[in-house]
Amino acid sequence: MISFLQPLALFALAAASLPTLLHLLGRRLPPIVVFPAVRYLTATEREHSRRLKLRNLLLLILRTLVIILLVFAAAHPVASVGAGGAHPPTAVALIVDNSLSSGAVVAGERTLTSLVDATRAVLERLGSGDRLWLVLSDGVPRRLTRLEAERVLDGLGTAPSRLDLGAAVRAAAQAVSEDPLPWKEVVLLSDLQASAISPGVPVEVSVLVLEPLDPPPNRWVDTSFSDPPIWSPGGTVVAAIAGSGDGATPVRLLAEGRSVARAVASPGDQVSLAGALQGSGWQAGTVELDPDEFRADDRRYVALRSAEPARAVAGPGAGEFVSEALAVLQAGGRIAPGNDVVLSDRPTPGVSVIFPPADPALMGALNRSLAAQGIGWRYAELVEGEWEISGQAGPAIGTTVRRRYRMVGEGTVIAGADGNPWLVRHGRSVLMGSRLELEWTDLPVTAAFIPFVDLLVNRIAASESWVVSAAPAEVFDLPSGVAEMVGAGGLVPVSAGRMAAPLEPGVLNYDARESRLESADAATIRSQLASNAQILNREDLEHVLFQGAERADLAGLFLAAALAGVLVEFAVASWLGTARLKG
C-alpha cells in the first residue's frame, strides 16, 4: 500500500499535459507540391515518416513520464512493508501535553483522552532496543521503560500548571541527543496552543507533531480583584470576561460558597460585582461563569477580607494631598476617625506611615529618630530622575516617580521604583521614599491615588497581610516577615525567600494563558520549535514514526526513475536528430 505524506503536491500532475500540448502545437502540415521527377521517392518517404512518428511518440511518452515521476517524488510517497516490522533502535522522547488546556472537550471527548490514545499507539511501536523519555506538563524529560510509561498514562489527568512547549521540545531534544543510539526522534502530542510556544533556537533533531483538532469556543474569567482590598463589610470585585462570542453570560460572585452578587457580561466586558461579606477575616471568593467546553477557566478565585476600617489621621508634614485623600476615605466609610495609624514626616509610638520631610535640613533629625526607635531603615541621598513604581503597590503600579530618597537598611521592601526600594516596612513603621506631592510623583493627580492611600492605610500599615498573585507551580519571592499563608485547609507555615506556588484549588488561580486555545500555525512551529518539524495526522504519524520503521520511503526511487527517464529521453532525441541528418 502506497500513501503520500504531501498529497497536495499531486495537483502538479496537471503539468504532465504540457508535453502533449507542445507536441500538438508543434505539428505543421506543409503544402503539398507534386513534381514528376520525385515520384520515385514517395515510397521511401512514407516509410521514413512512420519511423519519425514512432520516435516522436516515444519522446512524448518519456517526457510525460518524467514529469509524473517528479510530481510523485515531491508528494513524498511511502509504502507499508507489513505491520510489526523491525526498525533501527531509536532514542525517542514523547511530549504529552497534559496542561490545563488539555481538559477542553472537542467533538465530545477531552483533548487529553485523544492525546493519551495517540501516545499509547506510539508505545505499541516501541522495540526492545529503543530508549524512551516521557515529558509531561512540568517539562522534565524522564527516562522510562514502556511499562512504566503505560502506568503513568493510566493515572494521567490534567495538571493546573502551564507547559512551555518551546522549552519542552528543547529539553526533549537535548535528552535524546545525548543518547548514543544513531536514530533520534521527538514526538509532540499537544493541543499546540500558540500562547504556549516560547521563542528559541529550533532544534536539529527530527520532530514529529500530532496535528491538533480545532479548539472549541471558550469564555473565561480573565482577571478578578477586590476593590477595595479590605471590605467593611461591603465591597466590590471587578472581573474581566474574555473569550469568543457576542452574547451575554451570567457572572456570579460567591464567598465561602454563598452567593454575594450577580451580573451579566459579554466577552470583552469588565463587570463590578458589589456585595457584602458575612463575618470578618479572610474568605475565599470565586467569580464564576456558566460551564462551557473548557470548564477549568469558568471559575476564578479572589482573596476577600472583611475588617473594620482602620482609624487613621494625617499628622504633621503629611501633605495636602494625603490629608484630602483621608477625608474622602473617611466620608466613604473606608477609614474611621482616630490615630491608630498616623501618616506624618516623623515616627510615632504606634503604627506610622512616614514620608520624607519637605525640608532636607530635617533629614538628619528624622534618621536619628528612626534609630532611636529601632527602625532598621534610613534615608540616604536625594536623587532625581524618572522611575516606575512596581511591587506590591496595587493601583499605584506603573506610576511615575521623579524625586526620591535612596532607602538603605533592613526590613521588608513592599514596592520599588525600577528595582530600588521605595516603599518599605520595619516593625510597625512604613516608610516612603517620596512625598506624595506633584514635585515628587504623578500619583496624586491619578485615579489610583485614593485607592492607593486606602491600600496604604488599611492593608499595608494596619493589617500586615499580603495578597501575592502567582500561577500554580510558579516560583515567586515571599515578602520578608511573612510567616503563614492562607491555604485551602487553613493556615500553612512558610519561610521567607523563594517558594513555588501550591497547586491546590482555592489557593491560587490558573495561568490565564491556558484559556487561549487557538493553535499555532505551521510557520510558527517550524520557526520556534524545529525547522524540520512534520505536522501529521494519526495515520501519517504512524507512517513516519521511527525513521522508516515498517514503511519504505519511495521518494528517492521515483527521483532515480525520473533521472533514468531523462537520460533515455536524451538518448532518443539524439538518435532522432542523427536519423534526420542521415535521411
Side-chain angles (χ1 to χ4, degrees), residues 313-319 321-323 326 342-347 352-358 362-363 366 370 379 405 407 422-423 430-437 440 443 449 452-453 456-457:
V313 65
F321 287 102
V322 173
S323 299
L326 292 180
V342 179
L343 294 83
S344 177
D345 61 357
R346 66 201 65 176
S352 57
V353 178
I354 304 168
F355 305 98
L362 300 177
M363 189 57 68
L366 174 58
L370 294 174
Y379 288 94
Y405 279 94
M407 310 291 293
W422 181 75
L423 179 61
V430 177
L431 291 76
M432 296 197 66
S434 303
R435 294 184 61 79
L436 297 183
E437 297 176 355
W440 297 71
L443 187 56
F449 184 60
F452 172 72
V453 175
L456 186 65
V457 173

Side-chain angles (χ1 to χ4, degrees), residues 488-511:
L491 294 178
V492 180
V494 295
S495 301
R498 296 177 64 80
M499 70 170 289
L503 302 178
E504 293 86 357
V507 180
L508 294 164
N509 285 304
Y510 59 88
D511 192 314

Side-chain angles (χ1 to χ4, degrees), residues 253-469:
L253 172 64
L254 289 81
E256 302 296 331
R258 182 182 62 86
S259 179
V260 174
R262 293 176 178 268
V264 175
S266 299
D269 290 348
Q270 182 170 280
V271 60
S272 296
L273 301 163
L277 299 178
Q278 293 181 351
S280 60
W282 287 100
Q283 298 183 31
T286 56
V287 180
E288 300 182 2
L289 306 178
D290 285 346
D292 56 15
E293 296 301 311
F294 182 36
R295 299 189 177 185
D297 59 3
D298 297 332
R299 169 185 294 178
R300 192 165 186 87
Y301 295 95
V302 58
L304 303 175
R305 183 168 185 255
S306 176
E308 292 295 325
R311 292 186 289 271
V313 65
E320 179 181 359
F321 287 102
V322 173
S323 299
E324 292 180 354
L326 292 180
V328 171
L329 291 172
Q330 183 173 337
R334 294 300 308 153
I335 65 171
N339 60 356
D340 291 347
V341 179
V342 179
L343 294 83
S344 177
D345 61 357
R346 66 201 65 176
T348 61
V351 178
S352 57
V353 178
I354 304 168
F355 305 98
D359 185 357
L362 300 177
M363 189 57 68
L366 174 58
N367 281 332
R368 289 191 293 272
S369 180
L370 294 174
Q373 294 200 19
I375 299 172
W377 289 99
R378 301 289 183 273
Y379 288 94
E381 70 274 14
L382 180 66
V383 293
E384 296 187 357
E386 189 168 302
W387 309 274
E388 284 191 358
I389 300 173
S390 60
Q392 302 293 322
I397 293 174
T399 308
T400 301
V401 172
R402 289 184 296 273
R403 180 185 296 178
R404 65 179 178 83
Y405 279 94
R406 193 168 64 87
M407 310 291 293
V408 296
E410 60 180 17
T412 302
V413 177
I414 300 169
D418 278 355
N420 303 289
W422 181 75
L423 179 61
V424 298
R425 181 184 193 124
H426 187 275
R428 304 177 69 188
S429 297
V430 177
L431 291 76
M432 296 197 66
S434 303
R435 294 184 61 79
L436 297 183
E437 297 176 355
L438 293 180
E439 296 82 3
W440 297 71
T441 174
D442 293 336
L443 187 56
V445 292
T446 67
F449 184 60
I450 301 296
F452 172 72
V453 175
D454 186 353
L455 175 77
L456 186 65
V457 173
N458 280 303
R459 176 173 294 179
I460 297 176
S463 72
E464 299 188 52
S465 59
W466 301 91
V467 174
V468 177
S469 299

Side-chain angles (χ1 to χ4, degrees), residues 469-504:
S469 299
E474 180 182 347
V475 177
F476 64 95
D477 291 315
L478 276 173
S480 60
V482 173
E484 294 177 319
M485 178 179 68
V486 179
L491 294 178
V492 180
V494 295
S495 301
R498 296 177 64 80
M499 70 170 289
L503 302 178
E504 293 86 357

